[in-house]
Amino acid sequence: PLNGGPREMVAFKLRVQRRLASEILKCGQKKVWMDPTECEEINSANSRQNVRKLIGDGFIMKRPDVVHSRARVQARLAAKQKGRHTGHGKRKGTRDARLPMKVIWVRRIRVLRRMLRKYREQGKIDKSLYHELYVQVKGAKYKTKRQLMEVIHHLKYEKTRAAALAEQAELAKNKADARRKKRADRLEAARRAATGAAEA
């Protein structure tokens, strides 16, 4: 047989033919299979050309590669992705050794800084707010993009609201000034009228 089973018993050593066949087939000599029923014909082949002919006739072949299947490994990895085989009994190192806190921190800070940079480039936040949030992110005030986004929206809303209130206050102030001026003008006109009547 080509693979497995007892080694074929041949009366001839066929060392030269095996060496030539291994060079032609580009494999090791142990991978060369020779038909045990054609030993005499194989023994008579003493040149590369004759060995090539025997290979073409199928009397000499290269044994198939031994299969080292990864099916079981792939099935286990797929199960581990679902969370199987990862309990306390399967863990060798400490929590920090399995996933260091520094790695978690670097990933988090890069995500948040990338988000701030993107918002600044898009004009969603100005450079002063960018710097304020950058320092807060460095101080670990926010852990997720969701938290940071909510804070940005809240700060922008507060800024808009403060601007609207300031505008309303300015309008109210202008209105009160106008009312005060109108009243002062009316009183001044009445005083002048009273003074003119007294002189007459």
Side-chain angles (χ1 to χ4, degrees), residues 21 64 117:
R117 194 161 54 245

Side-chain angles (χ1 to χ4, degrees), residues 6-72:
R7 188 184 293 270
E8 60 268 17
M9 300 297 294
V10 292
F12 306 92
K13 293 194 175 180
L14 307 175
R15 288 177 180 168
V16 176
Q17 290 79 6
R18 185 174 293 278
R19 179 178 60 80
L20 293 174
S22 71
E23 293 176 4
I24 293 169
L25 294 171
K26 292 184 173 59
C27 65
Q29 294 188 19
K30 290 184 178 180
K31 297 283 280 186
V32 175
W33 176 85
M34 297 181 181
D35 193 341
T37 60
E38 302 293 338
C39 291
E40 292 185 8
E41 188 171 351
I42 294 172
N43 189 43
S44 63
N46 55 3
S47 67
R48 290 176 183 274
Q49 185 176 357
N50 293 339
V51 172
R52 283 196 183 93
K53 185 176 182 303
L54 292 173
I55 292 171
D57 294 339
F59 297 151
I60 299 177
M61 295 183 186
K62 178 183 176 182
R63 293 179 188 273
D65 294 331
V66 177
V67 176
H68 187 178
S69 175
R70 283 190 55 82
R72 291 184 297 278

Side-chain angles (χ1 to χ4, degrees), residues 73-93:
V73 177
Q74 291 168 353
R76 190 171 183 83
L77 290 176
K80 286 184 77 172
Q81 286 181 348
K82 293 180 180 178
R84 287 24 163 194
H85 317 294
T86 55
H88 289 291
K90 293 291 181 182
R91 302 176 193 174
K92 293 290 185 183

Side-chain angles (χ1 to χ4, degrees), residues 164-180:
L165 289 175
E167 186 178 353
Q168 288 179 5
E170 185 68 24
L171 288 173
K173 181 176 177 293
N174 294 338
K175 194 173 182 181
D177 289 345
R179 195 183 304 116
R180 195 178 299 112

Side-chain angles (χ1 to χ4, degrees), residues 36-163:
T37 60
E38 302 293 338
C39 291
E40 292 185 8
E41 188 171 351
I42 294 172
N43 189 43
S44 63
N46 55 3
S47 67
R48 290 176 183 274
Q49 185 176 357
N50 293 339
V51 172
R52 283 196 183 93
K53 185 176 182 303
L54 292 173
I55 292 171
D57 294 339
F59 297 151
I60 299 177
M61 295 183 186
K62 178 183 176 182
R63 293 179 188 273
D65 294 331
V66 177
V67 176
H68 187 178
S69 175
R70 283 190 55 82
R72 291 184 297 278
V73 177
Q74 291 168 353
R76 190 171 183 83
L77 290 176
K80 286 184 77 172
Q81 286 181 348
K82 293 180 180 178
R84 287 24 163 194
H85 317 294
T86 55
H88 289 291
K90 293 291 181 182
R91 302 176 193 174
K92 293 290 185 183
T94 62
R95 181 190 300 176
D96 195 60
R98 288 164 61 86
L99 185 58
M101 288 297 294
K102 182 170 183 179
V103 173
I104 297 174
W105 167 257
V106 168
R107 289 178 183 172
R108 181 194 301 162
I109 201 75
R110 283 179 179 171
V111 167
L112 297 178
R113 285 178 177 173
R114 193 182 305 124
M115 180 180 169
L116 285 176
R117 194 161 54 245
K118 178 181 174 185
Y119 273 32
R120 184 185 62 181
E121 290 171 355
Q122 291 178 349
K124 292 183 179 179
I125 57 176
D126 56 5
K127 63 180 183 179
S128 62
L129 183 57
Y130 169 83
H131 181 70
E132 179 184 348
L133 293 172
Y134 187 96
V135 174
Q136 290 177 357
V137 165
K138 184 178 180 181
K141 189 172 182 180
Y142 312 114
K143 287 188 175 181
T144 61
K145 287 172 65 177
R146 186 186 187 90
Q147 283 182 344
L148 185 58
M149 197 181 303
E150 288 176 355
V151 168
I152 290 172
H153 290 162
H154 177 70
L155 290 175
K156 289 178 68 177
Y157 168 75
E158 287 295 326
K159 187 177 179 181
T160 307
R161 183 167 171 270

